[in-house]
Amino acid sequence: MNARVLIIDDDRDLAAMLGEFLQREGYAVEAHHGADAGVAALRAAEPDLLILDVMLPDLDGFEVCRQIRNEGHQIGVLFLSAKDEMKDKVQGLTIGGDDYMTKPFSLEELVARLRALLRRIGVTEQTMDDEKIRFAD
């Protein structure tokens, strides 16, 4: 099983580029461009990780994070935002985000942070391998 990543970002080009890169890295990726559709997808599929923009057209990412945490979702949340002031980073981490990166960003650093987040929430390559079906030679 590949780790499942949900991207909620209103920048369609960025979400597509990020999704393609993460798929090449072995992640199963789904992207949505608004909070409502993204939260509905999260409720339906329960992905392992959420990459969440702060500035969304229908509801800000901070409120999305509050909402999913209040509903009891234990998904790993990484904020990925152009909002780079310290108060924004502190707010995102305080309301339930697990990590916060600012745009522009390095794809390699993002993947490293996702791997670290997966380890923290208990999803490791070993647990993903355990779910594979194996046959004897």
Side-chain angles (χ1 to χ4, degrees):
M1 173 190 111
N2 296 338
R4 296 163 296 138
V5 179
L6 174 63
I7 301 169
I8 304 177
D9 196 307
D10 64 332
D11 184 333
R12 292 176 187 273
D13 292 334
L14 174 67
M17 179 272 304
L18 187 54
E20 289 174 22
F21 181 81
L22 291 174
Q23 285 174 342
R24 283 196 309 267
E25 291 291 313
Y27 294 90
V29 180
E30 182 176 345
H32 291 275
H33 308 294
D36 292 337
V39 170
L42 184 144
R43 289 175 180 144
E46 286 291 331
D48 301 303
L49 298 172
L50 171 61
I51 298 174
L52 180 59
D53 190 8
V54 173
M55 295 183 289
L56 297 168
D58 47 353
L59 185 67
D60 82 26
F62 294 142
E63 189 54 39
V64 169
C65 187
R66 271 190 207 96
Q67 186 177 15
I68 65 173
R69 292 300 189 220
N70 286 340
E71 292 175 8
H73 297 280
Q74 297 301 311
I75 185 172
V77 176
L78 183 142
F79 282 105
L80 184 62
S81 178
K83 295 184 86 165
D84 62 356
E85 291 186 28
M86 185 58 63
K87 67 179 180 126
D88 298 313
K89 295 175 186 179
V90 169
Q91 181 179 2
L93 296 170
T94 300
I95 62 168
D98 297 292
D99 203 349
Y100 194 111
M101 288 185 69
T102 57
K103 300 174 186 175
F105 60 96
S106 156
L107 289 169
E108 292 79 11
E109 180 182 0
L110 177 72
V111 169
R113 288 175 183 248
L114 292 178
R115 287 183 181 141
L117 186 50
L118 284 168
R119 283 192 306 271
R120 282 197 305 270
I121 63 173
V123 178
T124 63
E125 291 179 23
Q126 178 62 41
T127 59
M128 288 186 283
D129 285 343
D130 288 345
E131 296 182 17
K132 291 181 182 176
I133 298 174
R134 300 181 196 280
F135 293 95
D137 288 343

